[in-house]
């Protein structure tokens, strides 16, 4: 077995993103919800290990579903916390800004599309800006729960949690206000670093013969 998954510390205090995200929401979101995904992902790995030892794969489908859900929840929340910072917001600069303009037209269109992706999720999910390394382009994608609907090989750069647990205690049913508020706390330097890192991914698909 490799390493166990660990809940990462936040780089800021629970109240540091107020008024956009309340301290209590962040405390519960990180300390209860995210922590739960980490705990469950580790438990599923143990159950998979037990199943292999017993050569008993009767529950393999449920275990694989559980692993995909909880591990993806851990990954997306870990990115989400780093995507945000106190006194963030504004606009990206440099190559990220150029790529956003190339692939979405302009920043305002990108923002509107991302919020439309978030607000039209049926049930629980995420809006995510991803780098798609085959076509070498930025895409927005709607993720159901934590794991479905994301094209394979897409690397998440900026993720917006649209689960009710992300906003309901503070914004109740006014989720559009929450999706607007997060634009005041985006950490564009973090997104730019992820962009630079993701562009090194080589999925090694062979080109189709002409
Ligand atoms: Fe969440």
């Amino acid at each position: 077995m490799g390493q166990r998954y660990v809940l990462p510390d936040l780089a800021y205090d629970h109240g540091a993103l107020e008024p956009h995200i309340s301290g209590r929401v962040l405390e519960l979101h990180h300390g209860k919800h995210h922590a739960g995904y980490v705990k469950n992902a580790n438990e599923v790995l143990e159950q998979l290990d037990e199943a292999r030892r017993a050569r008993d794969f009767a529950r393999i489908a449920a275990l694989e579903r559980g692993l995909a859900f909880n591990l993806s929840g851990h990954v997306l929340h870990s990115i989400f916390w780093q995507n945000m910072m106190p006194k963030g917001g504004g606009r990206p600069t440099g190559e990220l800004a150029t790529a956003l303009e190339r692939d979405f037209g302009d920043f305002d269109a990108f923002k509107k599309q991302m919020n439309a992706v978030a607000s039209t999720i049926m049930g629980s999910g995420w809006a995510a800006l991803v780098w798609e390394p085959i076509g070498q382009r930025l895409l927005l994608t709607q993720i159901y729960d934590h794991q479905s609907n994301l094209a394979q090989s897409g690397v998440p750069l900026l993720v917006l949690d649209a689960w009710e647990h992300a906003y309901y205690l503070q914004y109740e049913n006014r989720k559009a206000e929450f999706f607007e508020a997060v634009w005041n706390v985006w950490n564009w330097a973090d997104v730019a670093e992820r962009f630079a890192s993701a562009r090194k991914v080589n999925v090694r698909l062979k080109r189709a013969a002409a």
Side-chain angles (χ1 to χ4, degrees):
M1 295 251 291
Q3 295 177 24
R4 290 174 63 82
Y5 300 108
V6 177
L7 180 69
D9 291 332
L10 296 175
Y12 36 80
D13 293 336
H14 287 139
L17 303 180
E18 289 184 352
H20 311 293
I21 299 178
S22 81
R24 183 61 177 152
V25 166
L26 194 55
E27 184 181 4
L28 289 169
H29 199 170
H30 175 258
K32 301 292 183 190
H33 293 280
H34 186 175
Y37 301 128
V38 172
K39 177 172 177 283
N40 291 339
N42 286 322
E43 284 179 5
V44 174
L45 283 180
E46 285 169 17
Q47 290 164 11
L48 281 166
D49 195 44
E50 287 167 18
R52 277 189 297 274
R53 288 170 198 270
R55 299 291 191 271
D56 175 8
F57 296 107
R59 294 182 55 237
I60 193 67
L63 290 173
E64 296 291 355
R65 269 199 304 278
L67 183 63
F69 177 85
N70 288 291
L71 179 51
S72 298
H74 171 45
V75 170
L76 289 173
H77 283 94
S78 299
I79 296 172
F80 187 42
W81 310 138
Q82 294 174 67
N83 281 161
M84 298 187 289
M85 63 182 290
K87 299 188 175 65
R91 294 185 175 208
T93 54
E95 291 185 45
L96 176 61
T98 305
L100 283 168
E101 281 173 23
R102 189 197 72 173
D103 292 336
F104 296 97
D106 58 57
F107 183 78
D108 183 61
F110 161 66
K111 178 181 173 182
K112 284 196 163 62
Q113 184 176 335
M114 185 154 180
N115 282 11
V117 167
S119 57
T120 55
I121 289 164
M122 290 183 278
S124 298
W126 297 73
L129 172 70
V130 306
W131 174 247
E132 192 282 280
I134 314 301
Q136 296 276 298
R137 64 172 66 89
L138 294 167
L139 291 175
L140 276 163
T141 186
Q142 197 172 52
I143 299 173
Y144 299 138
D145 293 333
H146 301 306
Q147 75 280 24
S148 303
N149 220 31
L150 176 62
Q152 302 296 336
S153 84
V155 181
L157 308 178
L158 174 67
V159 297
L160 172 50
D161 194 335
W163 284 56
E164 284 192 348
H165 70 217
Y167 62 84
Y168 205 87
L169 199 63
Q170 182 178 3
Y171 291 92
E172 299 181 338
N173 63 331
R174 303 182 310 277
K175 62 182 179 182
E177 289 181 25
F178 168 64
F179 298 146
E180 190 64 34
V182 292
W183 293 81
N184 296 306
V185 291
W186 286 145
N187 179 349
W188 289 112
D190 176 71
V191 183
E193 283 173 27
R194 292 177 191 287
F195 181 45
S197 176
R199 288 165 80 192
K200 297 183 184 132
V201 170
N202 181 352
V203 188
R204 300 186 65 79
L205 295 196
K206 286 199 193 316
R207 286 184 182 278

